[in-house]
Amino acid sequence: MVKRVDVQNLMVTGGCGFIGSNFIRYLMERADFTGRIVNVDKLTYAGNPDNLKGIEDDYPDRYLFERADICDFECMEEIFSRHGIDAVCHFAAESHVDRSIKDPGSFIYTNIVGTFNLLEAARAHCESFVLFHHISTDEVYGSLGAEGLFTETTPYRPNSPYSAAKASSDHLVRAYGATYGLPITVSNCSNNYGPYQFPEKLIPLIILNAKEREKLPVYGDGRNVRDWLYVKDHCAAIWTIMKSGRRGETYNIGGNMEMENITIVEMICDTLDARKGLETGTPRRELITFVKDRPGHDRRYAIDFTKLQTELGWTPGESFESGIRKTISWYLENSEWVRRVRNNEYRSWISEQYGE
Ligand code: NAD
Ligand code: DAU
């Protein structure tokens, strides 16, 4: 088993997104990572430089940003060479299921072609390359009935263009490990929540709408189940796998925290109702609006992460109760971040910065 990973120049793709930015913040504070991070991000609608505010100043010698599209192979190859990239932690993806239903094209390009380009760039630098860690999702396994859990050997059965594209990228990564001997690891994680999540996803959307007393859209009967994991626990799991995971292997990551959507929405309503300064008015549960279901909506996800637990000793640290309280507080206390996201102000900043 590899006990530590000697990475000098780690490329993090999608580092301005939700999990990528949390991961960069997490890694920079760790004593067992002394290398540099090169954050490669296209800054799509989901890429928000505000998520990493302060990082460049705090770590001028250890953090670098490259605005680039992983679909551009020559650009990736040039970044690999210029920065001496010896490892990749690959988050960049189109990540929202609803968008993949309306507009699947960008999911195919970024999630499949983009991943292929990075693998090719890594292959070209194979002699000095330490690790390609690929971030994937439990959605590749499809939908569960009332019983059972996804394990690493559950057959792939993706149901949305998003999960199908992620599944394709997982296969490519595995194939590069098997065929070319590229040192790879893959992790398939359940639903994350926490700071810096773009408010199109269930939890931040409901928190912000409930705060403003706007409608709270719940798809179908609200009884779909997801397995929730606090984002910092996901970051810790990724780093554990990068350091000690067996090369060529896949590890499932989960929170052991199955919840129906409606329960989460009600919990958020009640927490806000009880919060000092927000308690006036009718109960927020009255804002809940059942809307048309998502096509192909997976009923239940639940992860068996025994392999990660027994082999590498990782377990989730945060309970859902404490994680959701922290998360709600974060969105209430970071009003500047919220305002800039809700008014698209960070987009105007990007346009000015890059002369678009
Ligand atoms: P996100 O949508 O918040 O962020 C994606 C980031 O990738 C953005 O910064 C965006 O600008 C960047 N990006 C998109 N296309 C790009 C391109 N062509 N070139 C370069 N950068 C590009 O996503 P997230 O929720 O942080 O998810 C990150 C990864 O984790 C994804 O691979 C996703 O499939 C996976 N994942 C997410 C969850 C979850 O609950 N959010 C759970 C399991 C796995
Ligand atoms: O399971 C991991 C996946 O989790 C990741 O791979 C994806 O990138 C991430 O987006 C997430 O996918 P989901 O589709 O599960 O997340 P989302 O927040 O979109 O929806 C969570 C559940 O809530 C799902 O059952 C749909 C429902 N929902 C969602 C929204 C946005 C609603 O009921 N109303 C809503 O407005």
Side-chain angles (χ1 to χ4, degrees), residues 74 83 113 170 209 254 256 292 303 323 331:
E74 279 167 19
H83 294 296
V113 178
D170 294 9
N209 281 14
N256 207 6
K292 195 166 168 289
I303 279 272
Y331 286 93

Coordinates of all heavy atoms in Angstrom, one line a residue, residues 74 83 113 170 209 254 256 292 303 323 331:
E74 N -4.4 20.8 -26.5 CA -3.1 21.5 -26.6 C -2.9 22.3 -25.4 O -1.7 22.4 -24.9 CB -3.1 22.3 -27.9 CG -2.7 21.5 -29.1 CD -2.9 22.1 -30.4 OE1 -3.0 23.4 -30.5 OE2 -3.0 21.4 -31.4
H83 N 4.1 23.6 -16.0 CA 4.1 23.5 -14.6 C 4.7 22.2 -14.0 O 4.7 22.0 -12.8 CB 2.7 23.7 -14.0 CG 2.1 25.0 -14.3 ND1 2.6 26.2 -13.7 CD2 1.1 25.4 -15.0 CE1 1.9 27.2 -14.1 NE2 1.0 26.8 -14.9
V113 N -14.9 14.0 -23.2 CA -13.7 14.4 -24.0 C -12.7 15.1 -23.1 O -11.5 14.9 -23.2 CB -14.2 15.4 -25.1 CG1 -13.0 15.8 -26.0 CG2 -15.2 14.6 -26.0
D170 N -15.4 7.4 -16.1 CA -14.9 6.4 -15.1 C -14.2 5.3 -15.9 O -13.1 4.8 -15.6 CB -16.0 5.8 -14.3 CG -16.6 6.8 -13.3 OD1 -16.4 8.0 -13.4 OD2 -17.4 6.4 -12.4
N209 N -34.0 30.2 -0.8 CA -35.4 30.5 -1.1 C -36.2 30.7 0.2 O -37.0 31.6 0.4 CB -36.1 29.4 -1.9 CG -35.7 29.6 -3.4 OD1 -34.8 30.3 -3.7 ND2 -36.4 28.9 -4.3
G254 N -19.4 7.6 1.1 CA -20.8 7.9 1.5 C -20.9 8.5 2.9 O -19.9 8.4 3.6
N256 N -23.6 7.5 5.0 CA -24.4 6.7 5.9 C -25.6 7.5 6.4 O -25.9 7.5 7.6 CB -23.6 6.2 7.0 CG -24.1 4.8 7.5 OD1 -25.0 4.3 6.9 ND2 -23.6 4.3 8.6
K292 N -43.6 19.2 -10.9 CA -43.5 18.1 -11.8 C -42.1 17.4 -11.6 O -41.1 18.0 -11.3 CB -43.5 18.7 -13.3 CG -43.7 17.7 -14.4 CD -44.0 18.5 -15.7 CE -43.9 17.6 -16.9 NZ -42.5 17.2 -17.2
I303 N -24.9 4.3 -0.2 CA -23.5 3.9 -0.5 C -23.0 2.9 0.6 O -23.1 3.2 1.8 CB -22.6 5.1 -0.6 CG1 -22.7 5.8 -2.0 CG2 -21.2 4.8 -0.3 CD1 -21.8 5.2 -3.0
G323 N -24.0 19.1 10.4 CA -23.6 19.5 9.1 C -24.6 20.5 8.5 O -24.2 21.6 8.0
Y331 N -24.6 29.9 4.9 CA -25.3 30.7 3.8 C -26.0 32.0 4.4 O -26.1 32.9 3.7 CB -26.4 29.8 3.1 CG -25.7 28.8 2.2 CD1 -25.4 27.5 2.6 CD2 -25.3 29.2 0.9 CE1 -24.7 26.6 1.8 CE2 -24.7 28.3 0.0 CZ -24.3 27.0 0.5 OH -23.7 26.2 -0.3

